Amino acid sequence: MEIVQVPSGFCQSQQSDSSERLMPSEEFTQIYDAYYTRIYKYVCYRINNHYAAEEICSHIFEVVISKYSSFSPEKSNFEVWLFAIARNAVTDYFRSRKKKRAVFSLDSILEMVLAKPSPEDMVIQGDNNRALFLALAKLSDKERNIIAMKYAAGLKNSEIADLLGVSGSNIGVVLYRSLKKLQKELDKGGFLNE
């Protein structure tokens, strides 16, 4: 069994008192393979930038390596712990963006430069995405976060509830009301049942 040794300072923003952290590489590989897609979808859904989502995912898995020894199954299950790290990483991303002004995503620059599908397809897809993101923007941060955890990350209501410290029924009610708000906003924009 190979051991992954993470030198202190590997993840600059998440250092602890221990001088070195050990995690079996097979275990990390299993965790990475099992959760990367869901973590990536969650992050990408929250920030709407594929390149930044990849960077944030890398950071999340660095934190998993460096903080794995602090994980306690008595406190919560592994998935809740992992998505708490992901949620905090997204929050950090938004905090850092507030400090920077006039930031352009690489996605938006590439869209201007690279060849695209037919203009008709682009308009339809762009309108649909724009309408969805405008409708999502009208929701509270809590509602957007819960929707991202449910549909982008594929978490169960009970897992989201554990992560946010509320009841599972509360999550169900918030999801139901949020989806109704989204539908109402999309209906206003002429996107009936699409």
Side-chain angles (χ1 to χ4, degrees):
M1 175 193 304
E2 181 183 342
I3 301 293
V4 177
Q5 292 190 358
V6 182
S8 112
F10 177 70
C11 181
Q12 295 122 9
S13 65
Q14 301 288 332
Q15 293 181 357
S16 70
D17 294 337
S18 66
S19 62
E20 70 177 329
R21 297 146 203 93
L22 301 175
M23 175 185 226
S25 63
E26 293 87 10
E27 190 170 358
F28 176 75
T29 301
Q30 289 174 346
I31 291 168
Y32 184 86
D33 290 344
Y35 291 102
Y36 178 81
T37 302
R38 291 174 61 197
I39 293 289
Y40 175 78
K41 286 180 180 179
Y42 167 72
V43 172
C44 197
Y45 184 88
R46 291 285 291 137
I47 68 171
N48 192 27
N49 181 328
H50 298 286
Y51 300 104
E54 290 173 358
E55 287 291 322
I56 292 170
C57 284
S58 295
H59 171 71
I60 290 166
F61 284 100
E62 287 175 5
V63 173
V64 168
I65 291 171
S66 66
K67 297 292 185 180
Y68 188 71
S69 62
S70 70
F71 167 67
S72 171
E74 294 83 32
K75 291 182 182 177
S76 67
N77 71 34
F78 179 78
E79 202 165 80
V80 170
W81 180 75
L82 178 62
F83 276 94
I85 293 170
R87 185 188 63 193
N88 291 339
V90 169
T91 301
D92 292 345
Y93 168 79
F94 283 122
R95 281 188 193 132
S96 71
R97 283 189 49 114
K98 283 183 181 179
K99 293 177 185 176
K100 299 175 185 174
R101 308 245 181 208
V103 175
F104 296 99
S105 74
L106 290 176
D107 286 336
S108 62
I109 294 170
L110 285 175
E111 285 177 12
M112 290 186 257
V113 176
L114 295 177
K116 299 175 174 106
S118 74
E120 195 173 274
D121 291 340
M122 280 181 20
V123 169
I124 292 170
Q125 183 179 10
D127 285 346
N128 289 343
N129 289 345
R130 193 174 306 111
L132 179 60
F133 281 108
L134 287 173
L136 282 168
K138 294 187 179 183
L139 299 177
S140 71
D141 192 47
K142 177 183 177 183
E143 291 168 328
R144 284 192 306 270
N145 197 28
I146 290 172
I147 288 173
M149 287 182 200
K150 178 71 175 183
Y151 298 106
L155 293 177
K156 298 174 194 159
N157 288 4
S158 60
E159 294 169 330
I160 298 169
D162 288 345
L163 189 59
L164 299 179
V166 297
S167 70
S169 60
N170 179 272
I171 296 298
V173 168
V174 171
L175 275 169
Y176 177 79
R177 290 178 181 167
S178 301
L179 293 175
K180 284 292 184 188
K181 284 182 191 176
L182 276 176
Q183 186 62 49
K184 192 175 184 180
E185 288 299 320
L186 291 171
D187 289 348
K188 278 194 232 179
F191 289 92
L192 301 172
N193 299 318
E194 288 187 23

